[in-house]
Amino acid sequence: MSVLVNKDSRIIVQGFTGSEGTFHSEQMIEYGTQIVGGVTPGKGGQTHLGKPVFNTVADAVKDAGADTSIIFVPPAFAADAIMESANAGIKVIITITEGIPVADMVKAYEYVKRSADCTLVGPNCPGVITPGEAKVGIMPGFVFKKGSVGLVSKSGTLTYEAADQVVRQGLGITTAIGIGGDPIIGTTTREAVELLINDPETECVVMIL
């Protein structure tokens, strides 16, 4: 099984046509992640990397069936992007953006928590990867191999290092969740661990605090 993202996840990229969004979207598509489009206000109707661009997340949900979003929006606008995704019915919101003002994140956090069946990961996180199925983040996909160990980490770099060590021991990863290191994050260490221990394929969980 998998946690949060898998081969059936229909992913959109908020900040799709920006430099960071473009670079990491290319990497995710190359990995085999099912990117169904992206959102850049004012550029709806265009295509980018062979995928449709939408003006709003609601349009992406309606027209592309999106259920997962990854956010590469600048800090000043990222909290609004989070709330837009939650309001549009996105189920998993992964926020890569670093440096979102704390006051903005307080508002976004409370908004997401009031939304039905919505999980926020991050901000300031490396993302989530289920090896061989979906890489929704900025981690180097080649490090992660399928296995039986769940991984939770605040640090992006230590996420990759821990995954490499686990793989070298012949165990591999079920899902790795980079929860992010900011003061206010959507998914806590405890919540991420609980998600993983409820996955029947995850035999143990490694936490990097």
Side-chain angles (χ1 to χ4, degrees), residues 10-11 13 16-17 21-22 25-26 29-30 33-39 43 45-54 64:
R10 298 181 64 80
I11 297 138
V13 181
F16 188 36
T17 59
T22 297
S25 293
E26 288 176 327
I29 292 168
E30 182 178 347
T33 305
Q34 187 177 201
I35 303 288
V36 297
V39 175
K43 295 189 177 181
Q46 301 181 19
T47 59
H48 184 62
L49 305 180
K51 308 292 182 180
V53 181
F54 301 96

Side-chain angles (χ1 to χ4, degrees), residues 3 147-151 174-175 196-205:
V3 173
S148 60
V149 178
L151 179 59
T174 49
T175 296
L196 287 165
I197 63 176
N198 287 322
D199 171 25
E201 291 187 3
T202 300
E203 296 178 5
C204 67
V205 178

